[in-house]
Structure formats: structure tokens, C-alpha cells
Amino acid sequence: MSQRLRVQLIHGLEGSPTGAKAQYLARHFELLAPAMDTSDFEGAIRTQADALAVFCPDVLVGSSFGGAVALALVQRGSWRGPTLLLAPAHGHFGLESSVPAGVTLRIVHGTRDDVCPIEHSRALALSPSVELVEVDDDHRLSSLLAGDALAGWVRGLGERGIRG
């Protein structure tokens, strides 16, 4: 276990490449968190696809807006590797609630989320390769940064290890 997992984080609208989730993940993994224009959904997808091609992460993590971007990358075939979505906002961007066969995807969503309805994640979790973890938290999922659960979920996905 000498090599650290490579993780690419796609931040949310209120997040940033240096925000709390990025800092947390950087303590545990080799992290790339590309800056992107969150006012341009298609541009954000292009920015992240370009970064994926160069960085070649072991796991892709998308938070809220970033979760929608990550799902779009998966649905368009730009990424096929293990993916973690944190309270994904895919419902706000008209993305289908489906995941291509063979893509391992885990969603963590707060049951008290009043920004992105958990029902959208529950619908996405009907796809056979999707696992939904419901936690007692709100949209920011701040509780995930207090312990080792988030790092454990990322590590678990990385150990399944199909690179995209």
C-alpha cells in the first residue's frame, strides 16, 4: 500500500479546489481538484474531462453540482471508473437517472438535504451497479469530514479499482 490513491474531486457551486472537502481528501489521497466555471455546465464537463485524461485518477468524486458533472461524464462515456457522488444535483440539470452497465457508483446523500432531493438519488440507485448510502445530515454533508467514513468510501471504491 505504498502508493496513494489518485482522486479527482469535482467541487460544488459553493465549494472550491481549496474548500473543506478538497482539504479533507488531500490529507488522505493524491488529489486533483480542478477549478471550473460553475456557471457553465457544459464547460465544467469539458474542464473535468480534460483533467481526467491527464491525471488518470483511481476514483472520481463529485459533490452536488460536481456530482451532476461527474454523472454526465459517466453517462457520456468520458469516465468508466469508480465514482462517488455526494448529494448529487443531477436532477437540477435534467440528467437521466441511469448509469451505464459496468460502472461502479456509490452515492452518499443526507436525509435532511433541502437543496437536492434525496428522491433523485434514490431513483439513480435503482441502476444495478449503484449503491446509495443515506446519512443523517443536510446538503453540505459536513459530518463526513469529521471522521474516516468519507476516506473509507473512497478507499473502498479505489480497491475495486477499474481505472477509467
Side-chain angles (χ1 to χ4, degrees), residues 70-81 83 85 96-105 124 126-130 162:
L71 182 59
L73 290 164
V74 166
Q75 288 177 342
R76 295 175 185 188
S78 297
W79 172 252
R80 306 272 305 153
T83 305
L85 304 181
E96 292 183 22
S97 291
S98 64
V99 176
V103 175
T104 300
L105 193 139
L124 190 56
L126 296 175
S127 295
S129 62
V130 177
I162 302 168

Side-chain angles (χ1 to χ4, degrees), residues 5 14 25 30 38 42 51 62 71 74 78 98 109 116 127 142 145 150 158:
L5 280 177
E14 295 181 10
L25 292 170
E30 183 180 338
T38 57
E42 289 298 323
L71 182 59
V74 166
S78 297
S98 64
H109 206 122
C116 294
S127 295
S142 300
L145 307 182
L150 178 56

Side-chain angles (χ1 to χ4, degrees), residues 93-134:
F93 293 93
L95 298 176
E96 292 183 22
S97 291
S98 64
V99 176
V103 175
T104 300
L105 193 139
R106 177 176 290 146
I107 304 167
V108 178
H109 206 122
T111 56
R112 295 181 284 117
D113 190 331
D114 61 358
V115 177
C116 294
I118 195 167
E119 289 76 21
H120 294 170
S121 288
R122 289 174 178 156
L124 190 56
L126 296 175
S127 295
S129 62
V130 177
E131 174 192 4
L132 174 61
V133 178
E134 297 185 17

Side-chain angles (χ1 to χ4, degrees), residues 3 125 129 139 150 155 164:
Q3 185 177 354
S129 62
H139 183 68
L150 178 56
R155 213 171 271 112

Side-chain angles (χ1 to χ4, degrees), residues 8-11 16-17 32-36 47-48 51-52:
Q8 182 168 327
L9 171 67
I10 308 175
H11 65 79
S16 77
L32 176 68
M36 63 184 166
T47 296
Q48 296 299 328
L52 280 170

Side-chain angles (χ1 to χ4, degrees), residues 10-33:
I10 308 175
H11 65 79
L13 291 177
E14 295 181 10
S16 77
T18 58
K21 288 181 181 83
Q23 290 178 30
Y24 173 93
L25 292 170
R27 284 194 299 273
H28 296 275
F29 308 103
E30 183 180 338
L31 180 71
L32 176 68

